[in-house]
């Protein structure tokens, strides 16, 4: 039963606003393979039914994965720790 005086649209907008606030945390959890945790159950349910939030989630996840791959590929070469301190001729 919804609270008196609050429209379904307003409740849906509020749910979307909460999801938008939690999306970065959820994407980080997905990338760390902990998004299956119970604390994200409502967010996962919302993403399954709201196409707008699902699209924002997909965009953010794609961006974060792109940034992660970019950051790994652009790191400067570092000698292997086992070779530090050795004179290689």
């Amino acid at each position: 039963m919804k609270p008196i005086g609050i429209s379904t649209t307003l409740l849906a907008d509020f749910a979307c606003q909460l999801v938008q606030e939690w999306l970065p945390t959820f994407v980080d959890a997905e990338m760390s393979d902990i998004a299956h945790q119970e604390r994200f159950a409502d967010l996962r349910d919302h993403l399954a039914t709201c196409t707008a939030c699902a699209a924002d989630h997909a965009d953010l996840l794609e961006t974060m994965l792109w940034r992660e791959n970019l950051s790994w590929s652009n790191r400067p070469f570092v000698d292997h720790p086992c070779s530090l301190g050795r004179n290689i001729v």
Side-chain angles (χ1 to χ4, degrees), residues 18-30:
L18 285 175
V19 166
Q20 294 297 318
E21 291 174 15
W22 275 92
L23 271 181
T25 301
F26 181 68
V27 168
D28 284 341
E30 284 183 303

Side-chain angles (χ1 to χ4, degrees), residues 20 23 46-47 50-63:
Q20 294 297 318
L23 271 181
H46 181 82
L47 291 176
C50 179
T51 57
C53 288
D56 289 343
H57 166 255
D59 289 344
L60 181 59
L61 180 60
E62 182 180 356
T63 300

Side-chain angles (χ1 to χ4, degrees), residues 5-83:
I6 298 179
S7 72
T8 304
T9 303
L10 182 61
L11 287 174
D13 289 346
F14 182 67
C16 290
Q17 183 180 356
L18 285 175
V19 166
Q20 294 297 318
E21 291 174 15
W22 275 92
L23 271 181
T25 301
F26 181 68
V27 168
D28 284 341
E30 284 183 303
M31 294 175 68
S32 300
D33 200 28
I34 59 171
H36 61 278
Q37 291 180 347
E38 185 62 30
R39 68 181 173 148
F40 296 114
D42 291 338
L43 195 147
R44 286 192 310 269
D45 291 345
H46 181 82
L47 291 176
T49 60
C50 179
T51 57
C53 288
D56 289 343
H57 166 255
D59 289 344
L60 181 59
L61 180 60
E62 182 180 356
T63 300
M64 294 299 288
L65 289 170
W66 177 80
R67 286 184 64 202
E68 183 178 82
N69 289 333
L70 180 66
S71 67
W72 277 103
S73 64
N74 287 335
R75 291 185 182 190
F77 176 76
V78 178
D79 287 333
H80 190 278
C82 295
S83 67

